[in-house]
Amino acid sequence: LLYTGLVAVAKEINREDYLKTAQKLWENVVGKKMYITGGVGSFRQEEKFGANYQLPNNGYLETCAAAGMVFWAYNMYLAFGEGKYVDVIERELYNGLLVGVSKEGDAYSYDNPLEWDKNMHNRWEWHECPCCPPMFLKVFSRLGSFIYSYDDYGISINLFVQSTIIIPLRGQKIKLKQETFYPWSGKVKIIIYPERTETFELRIRIPEWCKKVKIRKNGHSINSLESKRGYIYIKNDWKMGDTIEFEMDMPIQLIKAHPLVKADLGRVAIQRGPVVYCVEAEDNPGMNVW
């Protein structure tokens, strides 16, 4: 949250040195101190990060820290406009943050270690330090602002969430409708409803896990597109009812940690799309899942 404020102040008072510091901090945290679930803060004592690549699987990973990462990543995106920051928002939403609340919504996790012993960890209905529930709510009350963004040149599709939005662009209101069953399916359909025909860029984030994507405009394949900063750019004279459909390939991936993460030597994580999967002892009798 301190780093979130650092970026906000940098933009407000035009401090380039603050932005450079934020970038250095980001590369260190995301590259050397973040778990595959997006969890940060390896140690319960003092709620601290630890050294580079010091990522024990019983690490602390507080739900509040995942929420803080979402806000920091969003401010970094606003400052630099790169898809890699939204990649982290997505990782947190589907893994580091949602795990912090029960399916019924009436209990929450304070910490979210990758190795979870049911005799040692249970979700809380109440805690003497109830910071996680309001942080969780802060993130999801802001979800709409993360999905889309726009500037004078066009509109960005940052997250794939079924939704409808009206965006003021160049003196008119442009309605976008997004249809998808993401993250279980990589298919997304965008329908554009401008008040009048307008030329602008439609920028679609391609997640870092996605190596292959098919895109169609009004049912016709598009094979040559500009790609930069983690987005595909489609510039067009958009008219009422134009559609963009894209399908991201979602193979099951086995992901290895950096070799300096000693706790994960000889182990892999299972991921499909943005979702990191859990292997539970309950489903694997007689097998030491650790």
Side-chain angles (χ1 to χ4, degrees):
L1 292 174
L2 174 64
Y3 301 160
T4 301
L6 172 67
V7 183
V9 170
K11 293 293 290 179
E12 184 69 23
I13 63 175
N14 196 27
R15 287 290 297 265
E16 188 67 27
D17 55 336
Y18 284 12
L19 288 177
K20 288 181 179 178
T21 298
Q23 284 181 309
K24 288 176 66 177
L25 288 164
W26 178 270
E27 294 303 324
N28 180 255
V29 171
V30 174
K32 299 176 181 179
K33 295 177 180 176
M34 186 176 79
Y35 288 77
I36 190 170
T37 57
V40 293
S42 299
F43 296 96
R44 180 183 301 272
Q45 298 82 4
E46 301 175 6
E47 298 183 343
K48 60 185 180 182
F49 284 103
N52 290 342
Y53 304 111
Q54 193 174 10
L55 299 168
N57 287 320
N58 61 354
Y60 189 48
L61 316 188
E62 188 180 356
T63 299
C64 281
M69 283 296 294
V70 171
F71 292 126
W72 184 23
Y74 183 59
N75 275 10
M76 292 293 282
Y77 166 71
L78 294 179
F80 300 104
E82 295 184 52
K84 67 180 183 180
Y85 301 115
V86 186
D87 287 341
V88 172
I89 293 176
E90 182 176 81
R91 185 172 295 277
E92 298 292 351
L93 289 176
Y94 288 112
N95 302 284
L97 196 58
L98 274 179
V99 71
V101 66
S102 66
K103 185 177 179 181
E104 295 77 14
D106 58 359
Y108 70 95
S109 300
Y110 205 98
D111 56 329
N112 304 286
L114 299 193
E115 292 183 359
W116 183 292
D117 186 334
K118 66 180 180 181
N119 296 316
M120 296 176 61
H121 290 90
N122 286 290
R123 288 191 170 96
W124 297 81
E125 293 183 1
W126 180 252
H127 192 282
E128 62 183 4
C129 181
C131 53
C132 297
M135 286 295 289
F136 184 92
L137 292 174
K138 279 183 180 181
V139 169
F140 281 94
S141 67
R142 289 283 307 279
L143 183 60
S145 63
F146 304 149
I147 301 172
Y148 305 94
S149 60
Y150 68 96
D151 55 26
D152 291 338
Y153 302 101
I155 300 170
S156 298
I157 313 297
N158 299 320
L159 296 173
F160 311 118
V161 179
Q162 185 142 312
S163 54
T164 301
I165 190 170
I166 296 175
I167 294 175
L169 187 71
R170 299 179 185 173
Q172 67 164 305
K173 295 179 180 178
I174 297 176
K175 178 180 174 181
L176 289 185
K177 184 178 181 181
Q178 184 175 171
E179 299 176 354
T180 184
F181 195 54
Y182 191 87
W184 314 122
S185 168
K187 295 180 180 180
V188 181
K189 182 177 182 180
I190 307 293
I191 310 171
I192 301 103
Y193 303 96
E195 293 177 321
R196 61 179 182 273
T197 300
E198 186 68 65
T199 303
F200 60 88
E201 297 171 342
L202 190 66
R203 303 177 292 252
I204 301 170
R205 181 180 64 93
I206 303 301
E208 52 86 21
W209 53 261
C210 178
K211 309 306 178 188
K212 185 179 179 182
V213 62
K214 298 176 183 177
I215 300 182
R216 294 185 299 275
K217 175 181 173 290
N218 294 334
H220 301 287
S221 296
I222 305 177
N223 298 317
S224 180
L225 287 169
E226 181 184 10
S227 178
K228 58 183 179 181
R229 299 195 297 179
Y231 287 79
I232 283 178
Y233 285 60
I234 306 173
K235 191 172 183 179
N236 189 61
D237 298 326
W238 301 102
K239 61 183 184 301
M240 181 69 71
D242 277 343
T243 63
I244 292 293
E245 297 172 273
F246 56 101
E247 183 174 357
M248 295 169 282
D249 195 24
M250 277 190 172
I252 296 170
Q253 298 175 309
L254 299 181
I255 301 176
K256 294 181 180 179
H258 190 284
L260 291 180
V261 181
K262 296 180 180 179
D264 289 337
L265 292 176
R267 300 176 178 182
V268 295
I270 302 170
Q271 180 173 322
R272 181 178 180 269
V275 178
V276 179
Y277 283 80
C278 173
V279 178
E280 297 185 341
E282 190 74 19
D283 300 326
N284 295 276
M287 178 181 175
N288 181 1
V289 297
W290 310 130

